Amino acid sequence: MLAVIRIVLLGLFIVVGSTLLLLFCLFRPFHPNNTPFAAHWYGRMHRLLGVKLDIRIAPEVKAEGPYVYIANHQNSYDLFTLARAMPQNAVSIGKKSLKWIPFFGQLYSLAGNLLIDRNNKGRAHGTIEQAATAIRTKGLSILLFPEGTRNYGRGLLPFKTGAFRTAIRAGVDIVPICVSNLHQKIRLNRWDNGTVIIELLKPVRIADFGEDGVRELTAHCHQLMQHHIAKLDQELAQGTVAHG
């Protein structure tokens, strides 16, 4: 019964909330903080899922920017967990098919996020240049999922190089965002689904790798995030995290 109630409420929220957010975005279309505003609104629904969030941000992140943010992409619940930590003045890059999702897709586009055609390599390369230009000229940060797809509990998948090429092209550092394991953690028929830790690590300096160090930078960030996600999961398993 609890699961049914949650599904109905989430469905109503997506329809009503997205409609209201669409109206809001119409008054300031493509504003740099439309995406964080909408993301934080969606992220507040973690309470309805019975999840507590522990969001941690390295001091270095608050002092600088813009950045290319990279995050692990686990499942559809990212929309209600990771979204709560969306940095200000940031947009994301998603697949073009997202625009066909009723309500959410139109909001995603109007909020100023970038859409790419994954089946067209030429357009994908164009998107890297578009993202890099937005970073350089508008001071925007970009959030990317370097795995390229949801991992659904398979662990951190191999990274594609697009996010790292974008950072090098724009001349900005990379901030890894690590989210503790969500796979089979959220059960809609259970009141308390525990805590999810979201941590923004200190920036990875691209100057340490050089313009030709894309693959080395990619491998370094993958290893860094894989190690830190395991550390967060261990912290939760040991019960040492401060619930809040």
Side-chain angles (χ1 to χ4, degrees):
M1 186 63 179
L2 177 59
V4 173
I5 293 172
R6 278 177 166 155
I7 291 171
V8 170
L9 290 177
L10 282 173
L12 287 172
F13 169 78
I14 290 173
V15 173
V16 176
S18 295
T19 301
L20 292 174
L21 286 168
L22 271 171
L23 293 173
F24 175 79
C25 289
L26 284 172
F27 284 98
R28 58 172 201 180
F30 309 112
H31 188 280
N33 275 326
N34 279 356
T35 294
F37 182 82
H40 288 193
W41 195 341
Y42 270 86
R44 289 185 176 89
M45 287 297 100
H46 72 272
R47 297 185 180 90
L48 180 60
L49 297 174
V51 172
K52 304 177 187 69
L53 296 183
D54 182 353
I55 300 175
R56 307 168 182 178
I57 304 175
E60 295 89 342
V61 176
K62 298 179 181 179
E64 302 177 18
Y67 297 110
V68 168
Y69 293 93
I70 57 172
N72 52 318
H73 197 13
Q74 300 188 64
N75 53 41
S76 297
Y77 288 124
D78 288 338
L79 182 61
F80 306 110
T81 53
L82 174 60
R84 190 70 179 94
M86 183 72 179
Q88 291 299 308
N89 204 44
V91 298
S92 66
I93 296 180
K95 55 187 178 181
K96 196 173 182 179
S97 59
L98 284 174
K99 70 179 183 180
W100 301 113
I101 300 176
F103 301 102
F104 175 78
Q106 293 73 44
L107 172 62
Y108 188 85
S109 177
L110 192 59
N113 297 290
L114 303 178
L115 298 170
I116 63 170
D117 184 355
R118 286 184 181 165
N119 296 320
N120 189 318
K121 291 185 178 180
R123 289 184 182 177
H125 287 301
T127 301
I128 290 175
E129 182 57 42
Q130 183 183 356
T133 300
I135 294 171
R136 291 194 303 264
T137 62
K138 299 180 181 179
L140 286 174
S141 292
I142 304 288
L143 171 65
L144 288 154
F145 298 106
E147 293 167 282
T149 188
R150 299 175 181 87
N151 59 51
Y152 293 114
R154 291 173 289 173
L156 196 64
L157 301 178
F159 284 175
K160 301 180 184 301
T161 61
F164 309 95
R165 294 184 188 278
T166 299
I168 290 174
R169 188 77 173 169
V172 298
D173 294 328
I174 293 172
V175 173
I177 303 178
C178 297
V179 185
S180 61
N181 182 40
L182 276 171
H183 183 60
Q184 295 184 339
K185 182 181 181 70
I186 298 175
R187 298 180 183 175
L188 295 179
N189 60 351
R190 182 172 59 191
W191 278 108
D192 186 356
N193 284 308
T195 298
V196 172
I197 304 175
I198 304 172
E199 185 164 356
L200 281 69
L201 307 185
K202 67 179 183 180
V204 175
R205 306 293 179 186
I206 63 168
D208 295 340
F209 297 88
E211 291 188 6
D212 298 325
V214 172
R215 298 202 177 276
E216 184 183 357
L217 175 61
T218 302
H220 171 77
C221 288
H222 187 279
Q223 184 179 24
L224 176 67
M225 289 181 65
Q226 191 171 47
H227 173 78
H228 201 80
I229 291 167
K231 182 180 176 182
L232 297 180
D233 290 340
Q234 183 179 21
E235 183 180 348
L236 287 168
Q238 293 174 345
T240 57
V241 64
H243 294 261

